[in-house]
Amino acid sequence: MSFNRLETAELKGKTALVRVDFNVPRDGDGKITDDTRIRSALPTIKYLQDSGAKIVLLSHFGRPKGQPNPEMSLRFIVPTLEAAIGKSVSFVEKPSADSIANMAQDAIILVENTRFSHMETQGDPKMAQFLASLGDLFVMDAFSASHRNHASSAVVGNYLPAYAGLAMERELDHLAAALDHPKTPVMAIVGGAKVSTKIDLLENLVSRLDTLVIGGGMANTFLFAQGHDVGGSLCEKDLKAKALDILAAAEKENCHIILPVDVVTATEFRAHADSRVCGLNEVLPHEMILDAGPQTVSTILDAMDASETLIWNGPLGAFELPPFDTSTIECAKYAAKFCRRGSLTAVAGGGDTVAALALADVLDEFTFISTAGGAFLEWMEGKALPGVEILKSQSNA
Ligand code: AMP
């Protein structure tokens, strides 16, 4: 994928407007519970600092609905950011071109929540132009916000030279290597709760993959569509026709579909509920399918043996409730082993997927794990992401 990389930018004496994603989770006391997003912005901040650029950080936080709201101020980020950078950070509620220009060249400035103006989410060109007036170049470093056509995450790039930040660059390079020009054969595992949230994704994938594993609760809808009785399982019966369409499209595109051939069932949706492994036609009316069975796992592992690239979104079972995490963990560990050996490129993303892979203790072993939820899904759906498109449109390569 071609876009302007930071290493090609003239930075000394310039002011870089950097879109980060500081929309971090907080507990009831306001304490940051996961600082991954702050840490992922550090390489770009450090690079800009070392290159002599003034840094203006832009981010949204929460959903203040276009109104200033003290509870959603970004001020709380400052101490954590200062500790991480080892340098003071100036917090600016209402920036102006003059006030930014008057700050020291080595200043690091965090601007108040961009969503305090309704113009942000409307992608208003006036807000984008105003933001552009604060700096000399735009650095997009928030892949997780790139699916929004917002003023600070995409539109501002119309008015300044636009570059990918280092985290963004890494993400785009890995995602392109997984789906745009992957080493083949390529397989994907798509699991999770519902088909309804992943129809676009499945439709896009069947035309691009050699093998697609459909797992988790969403597999039940496919099994039901094929005439199996899924008892009391999570199942979107109204999507029967859609499921059959997807299977027909896969056949036409030569995409091999792997659905469960055996399942783990229980009568209660809770951890350590009594469970049993059974065949597809043995699910009792009061039972729920909560995980894939061992034969299914073995089929998935065989598919991994035959693949060079794996894309993964969504767990294969109700992984929060042991033992229904078994198939997800076994498949994750197998993929991790192949990544270690260098025989598989494995890219995963989405909130629950990251949690499931963390449970399997493979986060450091996968080739790349994207923490971007919505943006990762839209990328898998084959949609154009405005925050990426703006970078591509300016590419000098
Ligand atoms: P998603 O956000 O669509 O990726 O869905 C993730 C959720 O799907 C997790 O909370 C899992 O517990 C749930 N899930 C996966 N498999 C099943 C299943 N067979 N029955 C019910 N929930 C499931």
Side-chain angles (χ1 to χ4, degrees), residues 41-206:
L42 297 179
T44 295
I45 294 175
K46 176 134 191 24
Y47 182 84
L48 291 168
Q49 232 186 342
D50 292 348
S51 308
K54 191 184 296 188
I55 301 168
V56 180
L57 300 167
L58 304 172
S59 177
H60 70 286
F61 181 76
R63 294 178 186 274
K65 305 213 166 89
Q67 296 297 326
N69 177 342
E71 282 176 19
M72 291 184 206
S73 169
L74 270 177
R75 196 183 284 276
F76 77 97
I77 296 284
V78 172
T80 308
L81 191 57
E82 287 181 332
I85 307 173
K87 188 175 181 309
S88 70
V89 171
S90 308
F91 185 73
V92 177
E93 270 179 45
K94 290 197 187 314
S96 67
D98 283 348
S99 67
I100 300 290
N102 288 333
M103 293 175 97
Q105 184 58 31
D106 65 350
I108 299 178
I109 301 138
L110 174 62
V111 173
E112 183 55 287
N113 192 346
T114 51
R115 286 194 188 163
F116 279 5
S117 165
H118 61 87
M119 294 159 95
E120 163 74 328
T121 52
Q122 289 166 353
D124 192 309
K126 284 200 213 73
M127 175 163 173
Q129 276 167 329
F130 166 73
L131 292 173
S133 76
L134 305 178
D136 302 304
L137 68 150
F138 173 56
V139 179
M140 175 57 176
D141 208 24
F143 178 75
S144 50
S146 64
H147 57 316
R148 312 271 188 218
N149 192 33
H150 291 178
S152 73
S153 56
V155 188
V156 60
N158 288 320
Y159 306 102
L160 286 175
Y163 294 82
L166 301 182
M168 181 86 175
E169 176 177 350
R170 194 165 165 261
E171 184 110 23
L172 294 180
D173 284 344
H174 279 293
L175 297 189
L179 202 55
D180 296 344
H181 43 78
K183 277 199 242 160
T184 54
V186 192
M187 70 179 282
I189 296 178
V190 178
K194 292 183 168 179
V195 180
S196 49
T197 55
K198 296 191 182 169
I199 291 173
D200 291 350
L201 183 154
L202 293 170
E203 283 176 339
N204 180 43
L205 288 183
V206 291

Side-chain angles (χ1 to χ4, degrees), residues 155-343:
V155 188
V156 60
N158 288 320
Y159 306 102
L160 286 175
Y163 294 82
L166 301 182
M168 181 86 175
E169 176 177 350
R170 194 165 165 261
E171 184 110 23
L172 294 180
D173 284 344
H174 279 293
L175 297 189
L179 202 55
D180 296 344
H181 43 78
K183 277 199 242 160
T184 54
V186 192
M187 70 179 282
I189 296 178
V190 178
K194 292 183 168 179
V195 180
S196 49
T197 55
K198 296 191 182 169
I199 291 173
D200 291 350
L201 183 154
L202 293 170
E203 283 176 339
N204 180 43
L205 288 183
V206 291
S207 65
R208 304 178 75 161
L209 301 175
D210 300 290
T211 303
L212 172 61
V213 177
I214 301 177
M218 59 191 286
N220 301 337
T221 301
F222 284 84
L223 296 177
F224 169 77
Q226 290 180 323
H228 299 289
D229 191 343
V230 295
S233 305
L234 180 68
C235 177
E236 293 166 286
K237 295 189 172 162
D238 53 324
L239 289 181
K240 178 177 171 176
K242 194 40 128 183
L244 293 175
D245 285 351
I246 290 170
L247 295 178
E251 192 169 347
K252 198 163 144 244
E253 302 280 354
N254 270 332
C255 172
H256 173 53
I257 298 280
I258 298 179
L259 277 162
V261 290
D262 60 346
V263 291
V264 181
T265 60
T267 53
E268 294 169 278
F269 191 77
R270 66 166 172 83
H272 309 294
D274 280 345
S275 62
R276 68 180 189 113
V277 175
C278 68
L280 291 183
N281 292 322
E282 296 161 13
V283 180
L284 301 172
H286 60 291
E287 284 185 315
M288 288 172 282
I289 300 171
L290 293 182
D291 199 10
Q295 276 186 51
T296 309
V297 170
S298 146
T299 311
I300 297 171
L301 302 190
D302 286 348
M304 282 189 204
D305 285 343
S307 299
E308 293 279 333
T309 304
L310 166 69
I311 305 164
W312 190 333
N313 172 264
L316 290 168
F319 76 99
E320 301 93 336
L321 311 173
F324 309 110
D325 53 358
T326 307
S327 72
T328 303
I329 290 182
E330 282 182 12
C331 291
K333 285 197 182 296
Y334 200 75
K337 187 169 74 182
F338 279 27
C339 289
R340 267 200 308 273
R341 281 191 203 151
S343 57

